[in-house]
Amino acid sequence: MPKFNVAEQQRRKFNHLCRGVVSAIATLTTLLAFRDLTATAVGDPLQERPIQLAQALQAEPQPDPSQSAPNPEPQPATPPSPALPAINRPAIAPSRIDEKDTEEKGTPATVVDGEQLESILGKNVISLTGEDMGRIVDVIVDRPGQVRAAIIDFGGFLGVGTRKIAVDWHMIRFPPEGKMENVIIDLTRNQLRVAPIFKPGEPVVVLGRPDATP
Amino acid sequence: MLGRKTHTNGGYDKDGIAQTSQPNGTPSPTPSHASRRGLDWFVFFVADVQTGFGSFVAVYLTAQKWTQVDIGLVLTIGSLVGLAGQIPGGAIVDAARSTRRAAALAVMALGASAFALAAWPIFIVVLGSRIAQAGATCVLGPAMAAISLGLVGRDAIGERLGRNASFASVGTGLAAAGMGASGYYLSNQAVFFVAAVMVVPALIALFQIKSSEIDSARAQGDTSRSHRSNLAWGLGSLLADSSLRIFAVCVILFQLANAAMLPLAASMVTLRSSELATILVATAIVVPQFIVALLSPWVGCKAEQWGRRPLLVLGFGALAVRGALFALVINPYLIVAVQLLDGISAAVLAVMVPLTLADVSRSTGHFNLAQGVIGCAVGIGAAVSTTLVGYISDHFGSYAAFATMAGIANAGFVMVWLAMPETRPNANVE
């Protein structure tokens, strides 16, 4: 009989422990699941307003002419927001009007509005009619450095039965407005599914345009 | 139960030959209802957790912007660890003092790896998660069969393994359907968080099994205590047994043919059907699981009545027929129909492998080490299968690939028919 009580107490303790663990895990799970949502909701506070693509080597109308000459030449690792050039200027090496010694002046760079750019790996691909076409898993580049094709992992369920299809790079675009969440291509599922699969090292069948010019 | 406890050395006599552990006169163990329900649901929830770690990991990592090279590397390392860890995993369960505790630790490692995979998908964390999951699986598989053997004894082990396979496949089928839904409606991350949460009911179910009802001597194959931790001695005595050697070769042939069939068939379905392709592939994955759930108890029952050989012949025959049909059919709906044959062979193998090993380990001991050895053979067969079939289908087309698999399955069928001995203990007949 005493053994029974001890077993009973141990069982009750274990039940309490289980309840505690379940609550902790549920709380942690909820916090982590909402982590992604909050990150996207807050956004990037440093991005003040969208700008046009700017060539760093060309002159921009400087609000403070007493600062450096018309060539700002920021270092490529720290693209400052051009909306606040006066503040960022002191951190950059003083530029010269003489363009011959470019190495002393720094590397030419371009500052592009971050909201108009998006990473492409892993993005969902949809057709013009909204059909799900898979995900982009790779980018194929030829020797001179021209991007020729994107590899789309098409079809299947839970990763079983997928086929890798190469699609011409020029068919890839994002929606013209709104969130850049999905990649749009002008092909149908039927066109994609009958294409031969992509095998590295073998001739690649690049779907899309009739001419081969990159 | 009191009578059983007098076998202090687990049934070994001086010369190291095991006596049958259920000789006439000793009552069979009768585990309580709570323990049996606990084992049922433990197997169910573990299958739930394990389903998430299949091909879906590659999809999840792709969405996290991993390159194909990194994904391949992490998955390969995970498979290698899973392969190399089978034998040590079996040895660990053999040497463990409490099989229940080994199972609990393995399940907690599984949950932690699922959680880490979802929360921090960076390279080092994902690599650790895959290694932890592979190691936990190597321990969990033998542990579940060992707990079953320890709980119900050798007379009822066939039915018990049938029930285990049934609950496991229901868990896998429901988890696959649920994962597809949650990956579509929620996010890919949610799948792994849910898998991690499933560990908690698994642990609760595990501790419903009363540890006093698990005869650890029988769970570990009635190995004498001095030999239990001796790996070399164990391997030697296992490999000396001819029926185990023949069974290992048959299982390797089965996996060589079987492992690559579903991915290749699913790829053919994607190629050939446009509108319902996703649903067809989903059917091809989920429905065989439910067929396994229905058939396994029947298989377990008949294994006791008819013996093991008729059912092994049935399972291998179903695989050979499936391979031949895949080479012949074109229509995607027919491909899915043929894939349903997978349910028959999967049900047979899921029950027969641990059952045959339990039979064989009556004389050799080291039940869990034997499971580890067969698990290793299965892993090697599956890996070779994927590579071989990939090579053949690249260079010679899918027809040649399916024909090769059918040929290998036929070889396995012939071997089972001619060479595999009946392992059912004759003591049952008396």
Side-chain angles (χ1 to χ4, degrees):
Chain A
M1 277 303 126
K3 252 198 281 184
F4 206 84
N5 282 343
V6 169
E8 199 52 51
Q9 273 177 12
Q10 279 182 340
R11 181 166 297 199
R12 271 199 212 113
K13 270 189 222 164
F14 183 74
N15 279 341
H16 288 310
L17 180 67
C18 280
R19 275 186 217 128
V21 167
V22 170
S23 327
I25 291 182
T27 318
L28 263 174
T29 309
T30 322
L31 284 174
L32 276 164
F34 279 115
R35 181 188 60 154
D36 273 358
L37 295 177
T38 52
T40 50
V42 170
D44 188 1
L46 293 175
Q47 199 71 8
E48 297 224 329
R49 55 174 183 268
I51 58 161
Q52 302 304 313
L53 283 177
Q55 278 294 330
L57 284 180
Q58 290 170 9
E60 263 197 55
Q62 301 300 325
D64 189 357
S66 66
Q67 284 279 350
S68 57
N71 296 351
E73 290 174 355
Q75 299 303 316
T78 55
S81 167
L84 309 167
I87 298 174
N88 288 327
R89 203 48 31 104
I92 299 163
S95 53
R96 290 184 222 156
I97 302 173
D98 183 10
E99 302 237 29
K100 281 182 196 155
D101 294 354
T102 42
E103 280 181 10
E104 287 182 8
K105 289 184 179 184
T107 314
T110 306
V111 178
V112 187
D113 176 13
E115 280 181 12
Q116 302 300 317
L117 299 181
E118 190 60 58
S119 160
I120 207 172
L121 276 189
K123 280 278 185 292
N124 262 328
V125 181
I126 58 176
S127 73
L128 286 179
T129 51
E131 305 172 293
D132 174 46
M133 307 277 260
R135 285 183 190 277
I136 295 187
V137 295
D138 207 348
V139 172
I140 304 299
V141 179
D142 65 13
R143 201 175 275 273
Q146 289 277 355
V147 183
R148 302 301 300 273
I151 307 297
I152 296 182
D153 207 24
F154 169 78
F157 179 73
L158 295 182
V160 182
T162 57
R163 296 168 67 84
K164 288 189 170 47
I165 315 277
V167 170
D168 194 299
W169 187 248
H170 295 275
M171 314 280 293
I172 304 288
R173 61 179 58 87
F174 278 109
E177 50 198 13
K179 282 189 74 172
M180 296 167 71
E181 223 179 274
N182 293 327
V183 169
I184 301 181
I185 58 174
D186 188 5
L187 292 169
T188 63
R189 274 190 77 99
N190 270 331
Q191 289 174 296
L192 226 53
R193 73 174 167 95
V194 295
I197 58 176
F198 165 72
K199 279 275 158 205
E202 302 205 351
V204 180
V205 177
V206 178
L207 226 58
R209 302 181 307 156
D211 51 22
T213 55
Chain B
M1 277 174 66
L2 281 175
R4 199 162 37 82
K5 289 273 198 263
T6 59
H7 283 131
T8 48
N9 66 346
Y12 262 83
D13 67 5
K14 259 196 327 205
D15 299 329
I17 304 168
Q19 315 278 349
T20 57
S21 64
Q22 245 81 48
N24 345 331
T26 315
S28 298
T30 48
S32 64
H33 185 71
S35 290
R36 279 182 281 133
R37 298 297 266 174
L39 185 57
D40 287 342
W41 291 108
F42 178 64
V43 169
F44 176 83
F45 283 113
V46 165
D48 267 344
V49 177
Q50 291 280 49
T51 308
F53 283 101
S55 326
F56 186 71
V57 176
V59 175
Y60 168 67
L61 291 177
T62 306
Q64 299 293 324
K65 305 188 201 308
W66 278 48
T67 62
Q68 295 296 292
V69 175
D70 280 346
I71 294 177
L73 183 64
V74 162
L75 291 184
T76 306
I77 292 179
S79 318
L80 286 177
V81 170
L83 192 61
Q86 291 278 345
I87 294 184
I92 288 175
V93 178
D94 260 341
R97 235 173 295 160
S98 162
T99 331
R100 228 177 45 149
R101 195 175 306 156
L105 287 174
V107 167
M108 287 197 273
L110 263 187
S113 74
F115 189 78
L117 189 61
W120 304 285
I122 56 179
F123 187 81
I124 192 69
V125 171
V126 172
L127 188 63
S129 152
R130 296 293 303 157
I131 293 177
Q133 186 252 333
T137 311
C138 291
V139 170
L140 211 46
M144 284 198 288
I147 292 177
S148 310
L149 185 60
L151 209 55
V152 303
R154 292 187 187 276
D155 278 345
I157 187 65
E159 295 182 51
R160 180 70 242 176
L161 287 172
R163 222 175 133 86
N164 279 2
S166 184
F167 271 83
S169 55
V170 171
T172 307
L174 286 180
M179 270 166 50
S182 77
Y184 186 73
Y185 289 113
L186 301 174
S187 69
N188 287 327
Q189 265 183 333
V191 169
F192 294 103
F193 281 127
V194 171
V197 167
M198 286 285 142
V199 162
V200 175
L203 283 173
I204 295 177
L206 181 63
F207 284 101
Q208 300 294 327
I209 306 174
K210 301 192 177 65
S211 93
S212 56
E213 290 181 0
I214 304 177
D215 179 359
S216 21
R218 192 174 54 230
Q220 286 150 348
D222 297 311
T223 323
S224 72
R225 187 160 278 283
S226 61
H227 289 134
R228 200 170 290 171
S229 316
N230 190 334
L231 185 59
W233 191 90
L235 278 177
S237 68
L238 280 177
L239 294 174
D241 187 301
S242 67
S243 40
L244 185 66
R245 282 204 304 265
I246 296 174
F247 188 62
V249 173
C250 292
V251 166
I252 290 179
L253 286 174
F254 184 90
Q255 276 302 316
L256 263 180
N258 182 49
M261 261 198 214
L262 173 59
L264 192 57
S267 179
M268 291 295 116
V269 169
T270 305
L271 169 66
R272 298 204 180 113
S273 80
S274 81
E275 294 309 317
L276 297 174
T278 312
I279 299 196
L280 284 178
V281 176
T283 312
I285 295 175
V286 173
V287 174
Q289 295 296 328
F290 289 112
I291 295 182
V292 172
L294 289 175
L295 275 185
S296 313
W298 178 85
V299 170
C301 217
K302 293 305 173 195
E304 300 291 345
Q305 286 180 17
W306 296 345
R308 324 302 193 206
R309 265 179 52 102
L311 290 159
L312 277 176
V313 166
L314 174 68
F316 276 74
L319 182 68
V321 168
R322 184 166 143 236
L325 283 179
F326 269 141
L328 297 174
V329 301
I330 309 281
N331 186 316
Y333 294 94
L334 284 182
I335 293 181
V336 174
V338 170
Q339 173 57 22
L340 299 185
L341 283 176
D342 188 14
I344 301 178
S345 41
V348 167
L349 265 285
V351 177
M352 283 299 143
V353 168
L355 186 57
T356 309
L357 291 175
D359 295 337
V360 165
S361 69
R362 282 175 98 98
S363 55
T364 62
H366 296 280
F367 174 51
N368 300 295
L369 187 62
Q371 291 185 72
V373 168
I374 293 293
C376 199
V378 163
I380 292 176
V384 172
S385 172
T386 318
T387 316
L388 179 71
V389 167
Y391 178 82
I392 293 181
S393 89
D394 280 348
H395 291 92
F396 304 109
S398 62
Y399 174 79
F402 280 127
T404 312
M405 284 193 271
I408 295 176
N410 267 315
F413 175 72
V414 165
M415 182 147 194
V416 163
W417 185 282
L418 296 180
M420 182 73 204
E422 174 62 60
T423 56
R424 182 182 57 173
N426 290 327
N428 288 343
V429 181
E430 290 172 330

